[in-house]
């Protein structure tokens, strides 16, 4: 065999070897890439399973409805005043699973479904509090109905308390002498439930203050109780001596 033929054969073998080597490297990289993709999609993006960490059974809860949507009824344990939220120990913040439970009107005892529950209503229920590993707390009413005090009916109760038609305890919930502001907490007891609400006032120069108001039970007089609740003006605040 001539020297020229030997060189040609060596060249062909070398080209084939390089080609096979590149194919092996490409395939190896593809396998590695596919493995990473699989690990990313399957191994690392699996959502963490939500686990029950505690169940508190046979709890009675009531709170003010903030939302009835996306399969849950959310209640807040207080009221909102702009960005400020006033919490009250008598109420509960719970997420109730909406299973289209039977709802019973607080006053009329008429029966409805959960579409009857609206923003501002107060609801009363019994069941279990379920705590999950992600920190969420849901309330399972199980087979118990939900009692609904409609916002309009609660508003009428507030008017009656303000005009002394029904009994209510009044305390200074928050008082700032420097900012001339006061929050008055009315607490109505009805059917074995505590139903507090809070009113916010600016203290004008003509308001008569008698006694030390901070954290005290008080008597209140308004200039005109026939005005809407959000337009009431204070006349006198007097501490009730213990």
């Amino acid at each position: 065999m001539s020297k020229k033929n030997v060189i040609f054969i060596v060249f062909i073998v070398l080209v084939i070897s390089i080609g096979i080597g590149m194919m092996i490297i490409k395939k190896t990289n593809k396998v590695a890439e596919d493995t990473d993709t699989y690990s990313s999609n399957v191994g690392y993006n699996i959502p963490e399973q939500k686990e029950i960490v505690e169940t508190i059974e046979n709890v009675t809860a009531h709170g003010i409805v903030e939302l009835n949507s996306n399969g849950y009824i959310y209640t807040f344990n207080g009221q909102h005043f702009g960005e400020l939220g006033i919490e009250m120990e008598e109420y509960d913040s719970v997420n109730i699973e909406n299973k289209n439970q039977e709802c019973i009107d607080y006053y009329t005892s008429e029966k409805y479904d959960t579409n009857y529950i609206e923003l501002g209503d107060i609801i009363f229920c019994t069941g279990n509090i379920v705590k999950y590993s992600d920190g969420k707390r849901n309330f399972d009413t199980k087979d118990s109905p939900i009692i609904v005090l409609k916002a309009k009916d609660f508003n009428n109760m507030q008017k009656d308390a303000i005009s002394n038609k029904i009994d209510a305890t009044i305390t200074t919930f928050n008082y700032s002498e420097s900012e001339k502001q006061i929050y008055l907490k009315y607490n109505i007891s009805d059917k074995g439930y505590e139903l507090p609400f809070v009113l916010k006032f600016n203290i004008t120069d003509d308001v008569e203050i008698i006694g030390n108001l901070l954290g005290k039970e008080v008597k209140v007089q308004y200039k005109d109780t026939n005005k809407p609740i959000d337009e009431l003006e204070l006349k006198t605040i007097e501490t009730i001596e213990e």
Side-chain angles (χ1 to χ4, degrees), residues 73-215:
I73 304 161
Y74 304 91
T75 69
F76 178 54
N77 62 333
Q79 294 174 229
H80 292 293
F81 293 89
E83 296 181 356
L84 178 64
I86 298 293
E87 297 184 356
M88 291 172 270
E89 61 183 8
E90 293 85 355
Y91 291 125
D92 304 285
S93 290
V94 292
N95 302 329
I96 302 171
E97 185 178 353
N98 189 339
K99 298 184 289 186
N100 204 29
Q101 297 95 319
E102 179 181 83
C103 293
I104 302 175
D105 186 271
Y106 184 87
Y107 277 119
T108 67
S109 297
E110 292 183 14
K111 297 179 181 180
Y112 303 89
D113 59 23
T114 49
N115 290 320
Y116 190 60
I117 299 173
E118 298 174 305
L119 178 68
D121 294 347
I122 297 178
I123 58 175
F124 310 79
C125 49
T126 58
N128 299 341
I129 292 178
V130 183
K131 298 181 180 180
Y132 293 94
S133 56
D134 61 359
K136 291 184 178 180
R137 291 159 48 96
N138 290 342
F139 194 95
D140 183 6
T141 59
K142 305 183 76 172
D143 296 324
S144 300
I146 299 174
I147 299 173
V148 183
L149 173 59
K150 298 301 293 180
K152 62 180 178 60
D153 292 328
F154 185 46
N155 187 64
N156 289 333
M157 292 176 70
Q158 294 178 39
K159 291 178 180 178
D160 288 342
I162 290 167
S163 59
N164 298 317
K165 292 180 180 178
I166 61 175
D167 292 333
T169 302
I170 312 171
T171 54
T172 52
F173 195 69
N174 196 344
Y175 173 51
S176 174
E177 187 174 359
S178 61
E179 296 180 6
K180 299 291 185 180
Q181 286 187 340
I182 191 168
Y183 292 81
L184 297 180
K185 178 184 178 183
Y186 279 75
N187 193 23
I188 302 169
S189 295
D190 189 69
K191 296 185 178 182
Y193 299 110
E194 300 299 316
L195 301 171
F197 64 94
V198 174
L199 303 178
K200 177 185 176 182
F201 295 98
N202 293 318
I203 300 177
T204 56
D205 293 337
D206 60 344
V207 176
E208 184 180 7
I209 298 175
I210 305 172
N212 180 15
L213 298 183
L214 188 59

